[in-house]
Amino acid sequence: MICNRCGRENPDEARSCQECGHKLQSGRRAGAESGGAGLEPLPLLRPPGPAARRKVRKYVEAWTVAVLVWGVACWLLEADWYWPLYPLTVVAAAYAWMRGMTWKD
């Protein structure tokens, strides 16, 4: 196998170039026999699965709640009502905790 970067000949089973360390691009499958072509077709693009859609919905919900809380907080600050900010913060934090909106994902 020839390196695309430096042009050095490398063994077929090598994953990186012995000269420059560049990752080698192989058209063979890992378990293909040396007699066959072993070319692997390019994967087709698939629509996102249900897990990806749930994650997107979760982020959209989190941003919606954050924008609403921010808007209400700005309105309360503009009206010089500071005391409702404390319960608003507690309610928003409890809602986020109960819905599982955490930074772990």
Side-chain angles (χ1 to χ4, degrees):
M1 182 177 308
I2 298 173
C3 177
N4 293 342
R5 183 179 286 173
C6 68
R8 179 179 178 178
E9 182 71 29
N10 292 288
D12 284 340
E13 60 273 354
R15 293 185 181 253
S16 61
C17 179
Q18 295 172 349
E19 181 73 27
C20 66
H22 182 68
K23 180 180 175 188
L24 296 174
Q25 301 295 320
S26 174
R28 294 181 185 219
R29 290 185 188 161
E33 297 295 326
S34 60
L39 294 177
E40 189 174 331
L42 292 173
L44 299 174
L45 294 176
R46 295 185 197 105
R53 286 193 296 270
R54 274 193 305 271
K55 196 171 196 177
V56 168
R57 270 188 255 133
K58 187 176 179 180
Y59 288 132
V60 168
E61 180 184 4
W63 275 104
T64 303
V65 169
V67 167
L68 286 173
V69 168
W70 181 78
V72 170
C74 287
W75 178 74
L76 288 171
L77 289 172
E78 185 68 28
D80 288 332
W81 290 356
Y82 300 111
W83 66 268
L85 292 174
Y86 298 111
L88 176 67
T89 304
V90 171
V91 168
Y95 178 79
W97 179 71
M98 288 178 12
R99 294 290 295 156
M101 295 179 203
T102 61
W103 292 103
K104 288 188 280 187
D105 299 334

